[in-house]
Amino acid sequence: MKIRLDLMEGMGAIFLSASPAVFCVLTFFRFYSDASFFFAILFVLHGFFLYLFFIDKVGFDSKVNVLVVFFVFSGLISAALGSGSFFGVPQSLACAGYALALLHCNINPSFYKLVYYVFVSFCFFLILQGIDPEGVFLVSRNVVSVFVVLGLSLYYIACQNYCKSPSVLPAILGVIVAMWAIGRSGMASAVFFLFYAVFFTGKRFSTKGFFVFFVLVFLYFVLAGEYFNILTVGIDRFNTLGIEDVRTLINSAYLIRVTSLEWEFFIGGDLGKIYEVISVNGNPHNSYINLHVNFGIFGFVVMVFFLFYSILKLVFLRNFTLLIVLLVCLFRSSFDVTAFYGPLDFIIWYIVFYVIGFSRVNFGWSMSRGV
């Protein structure tokens, strides 16, 4: 009986520890499969189970739970009185559950690297097939770089927990995949990860790193020759557009509307009445607009406060790994709806929880440790 109980506990521990990987798989199929609603339901149910399981360990009266409950009620109020999303509330709660699982479960970075390599291999297969990234997922090609950011974030977090410096290769592959997807903010995000892996962890390109890099470049240019122009297209978009595009018009139009209508200022703006948003299929292309729409002004102010607090606290703790992960996620979220009812909520919740509830627990890697 004891052996059987130990086996059940061991299987349960494996199931809980693999939750971040389950998050990645379910999120991928939510954007890739025609059965996206089915995977969204599984995502919410699994994440909600994790939240109930781990919040019992953290404590229902903890700062973590109080913060989550506040945003649940803010989301429900904005959905009932404004144009927020009712279904987004359980998604946010599920992401909080996955974040708690990641805080409590310590997995070797090699596992997350393997999960990330599976996605990268999928992208390289599509590249070699000459497939346009725009037609791969149910949403735009910009989601490709979101998965790059998500995968690298989990890998970097795991490296921190194991006191290891992240390898350069995953970031190199991330840059190549992001270039295939063309998006400017996605390419910049991947480059930030690469810059950190090379210069801020004491690692340098080794002979092996140079060899692998040039082999990948060779495969990219030769075997995917018909896609050669996609690299120059991506770089040209930086040169010709910079950061100016429809997003600037959307941000300006939204700000004008919510500052002129007091009710929408408090409960969130109505995106369905803003022409600039309607013209791009209702996508505001900015997670901070999404934050105000879904949580109202009070939720917006509280979240911005905790994000700034997290940045300052991570600088104080010299936890540069989590700092770069958070900054990249926030940067990427400035150009698309990737957070505050998006896949990067998982990482953002994790870092906020770490700072407000776990910052005194020293299991993180930092530059000062000289690893």
Side-chain angles (χ1 to χ4, degrees), residues 177-290:
V177 171
M179 283 184 169
W180 170 60
I182 301 177
R184 289 160 288 164
S185 60
M187 286 188 283
S189 299
V191 169
F192 291 153
F193 275 121
L194 177 58
F195 180 81
Y196 179 75
V198 174
F199 294 106
F200 278 81
T201 63
K203 301 203 78 174
R204 295 293 185 271
F205 279 108
S206 62
T207 304
K208 179 181 177 182
F210 269 118
F211 175 76
V212 171
F213 177 74
F214 282 115
V215 167
L216 290 173
V217 170
F218 173 81
L219 290 174
Y220 194 90
F221 285 119
V222 177
L223 298 183
E226 67 268 28
Y227 251 68
F228 173 83
N229 67 316
I230 209 163
L231 287 178
T232 55
V233 169
I235 296 173
D236 286 343
R237 284 170 67 87
F238 270 112
N239 295 332
T240 58
L241 298 177
I243 60 173
E244 295 292 330
D245 59 3
V246 68
R247 292 171 174 84
T248 305
L249 299 176
I250 291 174
N251 296 342
S252 177
Y254 185 83
L255 186 61
I256 291 173
R257 180 174 179 84
V258 298
T259 53
S260 59
L261 298 174
E262 292 184 1
W263 180 249
E264 292 194 10
F265 175 79
F266 284 102
I267 66 168
D270 187 350
L271 298 178
K273 295 181 180 179
I274 301 177
Y275 170 76
E276 289 79 1
V277 178
I278 297 173
S279 64
V280 288
N281 299 318
N283 183 357
H285 287 284
N286 188 321
S287 295
Y288 304 104
I289 290 178
N290 223 39

Side-chain angles (χ1 to χ4, degrees), residues 120-131:
V120 169
S121 300
F122 171 75
C123 291
F124 270 89
F125 172 77
L126 297 178
I127 292 172
L128 297 177
Q129 296 295 314
I131 296 177

Side-chain angles (χ1 to χ4, degrees), residues 20-270:
V22 174
F23 170 91
C24 294
V25 172
L26 292 178
T27 301
F28 175 85
F29 282 106
R30 283 172 59 199
F31 290 102
Y32 180 74
S33 172
D34 290 334
S36 58
F37 183 76
F38 169 75
F39 287 104
I41 295 297
L42 288 181
F43 172 87
V44 168
L45 292 177
H46 185 219
F48 183 66
F49 163 78
L50 292 173
Y51 183 80
L52 292 179
F53 180 85
F54 285 107
I55 203 65
D56 182 56
K57 298 178 179 295
V58 176
F60 285 94
D61 59 344
S62 66
K63 290 179 288 185
V64 168
N65 192 48
V66 170
L67 184 63
V68 171
V69 170
F70 168 79
F71 277 99
V72 167
F73 278 103
S74 296
L76 290 174
I77 291 172
S78 292
L81 302 178
S83 57
S85 168
F86 274 111
F87 187 66
V89 175
Q91 288 186 72
S92 184
L93 187 61
C95 285
Y98 284 110
L100 288 172
L102 185 59
L103 278 167
H104 285 83
C105 302
N106 203 11
I107 299 182
N108 193 295
S110 299
F111 175 76
Y112 290 114
K113 188 192 295 186
L114 176 62
V115 174
Y116 174 72
Y117 282 166
V118 170
F119 171 73
V120 169
S121 300
F122 171 75
C123 291
F124 270 89
F125 172 77
L126 297 178
I127 292 172
L128 297 177
Q129 296 295 314
I131 296 177
D132 189 334
E134 190 67 53
V136 175
F137 294 94
L138 300 178
V139 292
S140 76
R141 53 180 164 74
N142 292 323
V143 75
V144 174
S145 63
V146 175
F147 283 115
V148 170
V149 171
L150 181 61
L152 288 175
S153 296
L154 286 172
Y155 171 60
Y156 277 45
I157 289 171
C159 287
Q160 171 197 258
N161 294 346
Y162 266 71
C163 301
K164 292 183 177 180
S165 298
S167 171
V168 175
L169 181 58
I172 293 175
L173 296 174
V175 171
I176 296 175
V177 171
M179 283 184 169
W180 170 60
I182 301 177
R184 289 160 288 164
S185 60
M187 286 188 283
S189 299
V191 169
F192 291 153
F193 275 121
L194 177 58
F195 180 81
Y196 179 75
V198 174
F199 294 106
F200 278 81
T201 63
K203 301 203 78 174
R204 295 293 185 271
F205 279 108
S206 62
T207 304
K208 179 181 177 182
F210 269 118
F211 175 76
V212 171
F213 177 74
F214 282 115
V215 167
L216 290 173
V217 170
F218 173 81
L219 290 174
Y220 194 90
F221 285 119
V222 177
L223 298 183
E226 67 268 28
Y227 251 68
F228 173 83
N229 67 316
I230 209 163
L231 287 178
T232 55
V233 169
I235 296 173
D236 286 343
R237 284 170 67 87
F238 270 112
N239 295 332
T240 58
L241 298 177
I243 60 173
E244 295 292 330
D245 59 3
V246 68
R247 292 171 174 84
T248 305
L249 299 176
I250 291 174
N251 296 342
S252 177
Y254 185 83
L255 186 61
I256 291 173
R257 180 174 179 84
V258 298
T259 53
S260 59
L261 298 174
E262 292 184 1
W263 180 249
E264 292 194 10
F265 175 79
F266 284 102
I267 66 168
D270 187 350

